[in-house]
Amino acid sequence: MNAHRSLTRREWLVLTCAGTLAFFGIWALASLAGLTSRQFLPPPWTVAEKFVELTYQPFSGATLQKHLLSSFGRFGMGFALAVLIGIPLGLILGWFRWADAIVSPLFDALRFVAPIAWVPFAALWFGTGIGGPVLIIFTGAFPPCVINAHRGARYVDQTLIEAARTLGARHWHIITEVLLPASVPSIVAGLRVSAGLGWQSLVGAELIVASSGIGYVLVKGQASISTSIVMSGMIAIGIVGFAIDALLRRIEVQLRRRRGDER
Amino acid sequence: MARIRNGRSEPSRLAVGGLTLLGVILLWYVATSITQTIPPVYFPTPAEVLQALRQISLQGYADGRLQQHFFHSCWLVLMGFMVAVGIGVPLGMLMGWSRRAEAFVNPTFLLLRPIPPLAWIPLAIVWLGLGDAAKVLVIWFAAFVPAVINSYAGVRSIEPYLIEAARSLGVRGAMLVREVLFPGALPLIFTGLRLSLQACWTTLVAGELIGAIVGLGHVLYQAGLDLFPAMIVVGMIGVAIGGGLMTAALGWLETRAMPWHRR
């Protein structure tokens, strides 16, 4: 066994291709073998066809892009709200010990409630309006924002704070001028987690309380027992989730590089 | 005023936390029962919640008593989680050990990873119906990906010289896995397990909200239909307690499994 050694580029390429082929091959075989009906497990190409078809032929009221757009709008609102409230809150909790002592127990208690468990209240408070999904996304995306801003503020180099103090900085100044810039890496790392959880919560919310959006496509596909529609929706969700994560990771890398250069 | 770096002692922190929770409950009581700032249609009074709790634990609600719902949910999570860990950890360790296995399996992972577990729910329902099997499948999926990724990272995090040393002493095969790779990867494996347990719990609640016969999610769903805010709160508390207990159990297991790894 010579396992730990690294592979040559060619070996790697061959194995990766083989792996990809194996994945699609097993899927196609399972579908063609006739174990279940094609409707339950369509082969990959049928799903691909369906995916393309959904982009120009409206399904439950809109094309796939339009559904994605409305999902993305909700996601943007919930995520923005979580960031705008969560990060200042995290910084404040990181600075004022008394605030931390008061808020943290509550926060910890609420955090154990899975975001999706807010769905009945979301429906009760907002009906089928936009508020419901936004609330769910918010509850999913909020904790990582708070936790990472809090942690970032906690681990700021003490000398920076003392220096700011000697120069006469007030609480507010220390938070905005010292804690915020110093905790940016931690905050951005939190944003990635938060966006991932928010996107996932969005899907959950739309599965239950929505009449448009990508989650709704899944529900409708499920109701009409069309696996190819469900799978197309899952692929779209995966692509958007991946894109959001890639964007944030890019920002993270860029930021780290710039900060590294400055020092 | 000034921030105290060392913080307060643990008991006083606990006391402040407890007082805060008491304060919030008092505030809740005042706002809903006395001043009625929050109308009872939107949020229940503490008395109503107690009443709902009594109703569900003595007479039952949504086709079962609280205990039945609670244990059913916990049981499903445990099953999905165990199967996922049982398959995921060995697979992840294999990928961490052998670059060939990694190159072969990785494409499948890259394709499946961006799809959030919640998005599998409709597909699971199409395939397996509304029963427990669909939920276990989705929970399995939620736990599987983090289990694999962290076991993989865990094996990769082992210092190569440890493996070299073990090998030069003639340790190989199963013994190498048991004595070097597994203990070395364990800290990161547990990180993965904690993540996957949370994902499991969220997924289960979502799955039960969408369709179930018993379970905490089903309680939430039924309470939402009946416009019964007090029962929604009971369900949410149940979800929080279940998630909290399981996390605590995992933490206990972690300290038992890694006595050398004190944090």
Side-chain angles (χ1 to χ4, degrees):
Chain A
M1 243 162 84
N2 46 359
H4 244 347
R5 98 197 148 85
S6 44
L7 303 171
T8 62
R9 191 155 177 77
R10 211 176 124 187
E11 268 179 304
W12 181 83
L13 208 68
V14 168
L15 280 167
T16 301
C17 287
T20 318
L21 277 178
F23 173 70
F24 286 107
I26 291 172
W27 176 1
L29 268 180
S31 158
L32 294 178
L35 297 171
T36 56
S37 84
R38 287 277 184 96
Q39 201 181 2
F40 280 112
L41 186 62
W45 50 90
T46 312
V47 175
E49 252 168 53
K50 195 52 149 187
F51 187 86
V52 174
E53 191 190 307
L54 285 175
T55 56
Y56 60 85
Q57 224 170 52
F59 174 73
S60 41
T63 56
L64 196 60
Q65 304 92 297
K66 281 213 184 114
H67 280 300
L68 272 178
L69 209 64
S70 84
S71 289
F72 199 76
R74 288 179 190 139
F75 169 76
M77 278 165 79
F79 184 57
L81 217 60
V83 169
L84 289 178
I85 302 176
I87 290 176
L89 181 66
L91 291 175
I92 288 170
L93 295 186
W95 178 244
F96 295 107
R97 267 300 168 122
W98 56 267
D100 189 21
I102 291 174
V103 178
S104 285
L106 281 179
F107 182 72
D108 285 336
L110 279 177
R111 207 153 53 91
F112 275 116
V113 180
I116 215 74
W118 286 93
V119 161
F121 269 130
L124 188 67
W125 292 338
F126 299 102
T128 49
I130 188 155
V134 171
L135 174 71
I136 311 286
I137 298 161
F138 174 80
T139 52
F142 186 61
C145 287
V146 177
I147 293 170
N148 278 51
H150 182 247
R151 196 176 296 157
R154 256 304 150 70
Y155 294 119
V156 169
D157 192 352
Q158 195 65 19
T159 50
L160 290 178
I161 294 170
E162 312 239 303
R165 278 228 162 127
T166 348
L167 294 172
R170 297 289 183 87
H171 284 310
W172 194 244
H173 274 121
I174 292 180
I175 291 177
T176 54
E177 306 280 326
V178 182
L179 296 190
L180 178 63
S183 33
V184 161
S186 169
I187 289 175
V188 176
L191 288 187
R192 263 182 76 195
V193 179
S194 152
L197 288 174
W199 184 243
Q200 157 154 356
S201 308
L202 165 101
V203 174
E206 284 187 344
L207 288 177
I208 303 163
V209 280
S211 48
S212 67
I214 189 68
Y216 187 63
V217 171
L218 293 190
V219 175
K220 281 290 164 189
Q222 173 210 318
S224 54
I225 320 188
S226 167
T227 311
S228 51
I229 291 179
V230 175
M231 283 183 166
S232 303
M234 287 166 70
I235 294 169
I237 290 169
I239 292 173
V240 174
F242 184 79
I244 293 173
D245 191 58
L247 184 74
L248 285 172
R249 188 163 42 198
R250 222 193 139 98
I251 295 175
E252 193 180 350
V253 169
Q254 209 107 79
L255 221 68
R256 193 169 292 157
R257 194 176 299 154
R258 195 186 303 162
R259 291 168 74 90
D261 288 345
E262 273 172 10
R263 263 174 209 163
Chain B
M1 219 178 104
R3 188 155 70 135
I4 309 159
R5 257 287 155 174
N6 298 331
R8 283 171 213 162
S9 57
E10 271 307 302
S12 92
R13 240 190 109 80
L14 215 68
V16 173
L19 275 178
T20 313
L21 286 180
L22 271 181
V24 168
I25 291 171
L26 195 71
L27 206 69
W28 171 28
Y29 176 71
V30 171
T32 52
S33 308
I34 298 177
T35 62
Q36 304 217 325
T37 326
I38 306 170
V41 198
Y42 287 123
F43 205 80
T45 64
E48 281 174 335
V49 171
L50 282 179
Q51 176 61 36
L53 184 65
R54 196 173 305 137
Q55 184 192 334
I56 195 175
S57 28
L58 297 179
Q59 294 153 28
Y61 179 77
D63 310 317
R65 295 193 183 166
L66 186 60
Q67 312 79 285
Q68 282 167 290
H69 293 301
F70 187 79
F71 286 118
H72 188 75
S73 293
C74 289
W75 170 239
L76 285 185
V77 167
L78 221 56
M79 285 226 296
F81 182 70
M82 303 276 248
V83 179
V85 170
I87 306 174
V89 170
L91 181 66
M93 287 181 66
L94 179 70
M95 282 169 70
W97 172 249
S98 151
R99 307 246 171 194
R100 282 158 194 259
E102 184 203 351
F104 187 73
V105 182
N106 219 14
T108 306
F109 256 86
L110 288 180
L111 288 168
L112 293 182
R113 197 164 77 150
I115 301 172
L118 292 185
W120 286 86
I121 294 172
L123 191 63
I125 292 177
V126 169
W127 280 347
L128 298 169
L130 291 174
D132 290 348
K135 262 140 231 130
V136 173
L137 176 70
V138 178
I139 293 166
W140 174 81
F141 192 83
F144 185 65
V145 173
V148 172
I149 291 172
N150 281 280
S151 318
Y152 162 81
V155 171
R156 278 291 153 83
S157 74
I158 300 172
E159 301 281 354
Y161 67 78
L162 278 178
I163 296 168
E164 296 298 323
R167 277 183 160 178
S168 67
L169 292 171
V171 179
R172 39 191 88 251
M175 195 172 172
L176 186 69
V177 172
R178 202 178 61 234
E179 300 291 331
V180 183
L181 296 185
F182 188 64
L186 213 48
L188 270 174
I189 290 179
F190 266 105
T191 308
L193 295 191
R194 235 176 294 129
L195 285 175
S196 49
L197 194 62
Q198 269 165 23
C200 282
W201 196 247
T202 307
T203 314
L204 169 90
V205 175
E208 287 183 342
L209 267 168
I210 290 168
I213 302 143
V214 272
L216 290 170
H218 183 58
V219 173
L220 285 172
Y221 171 78
Q222 192 63 44
L225 273 191
D226 295 348
L227 301 179
F228 191 174
M231 198 57 89
I232 300 179
V233 171
V234 170
M236 285 172 75
I237 294 173
V239 168
I241 290 176
L245 278 182
M246 286 202 167
T247 311
L250 192 67
W252 177 80
L253 200 69
E254 185 173 352
T255 50
R256 289 299 298 268
M258 298 188 294
W260 67 89
H261 192 252
R262 291 248 177 265
R263 282 183 302 167

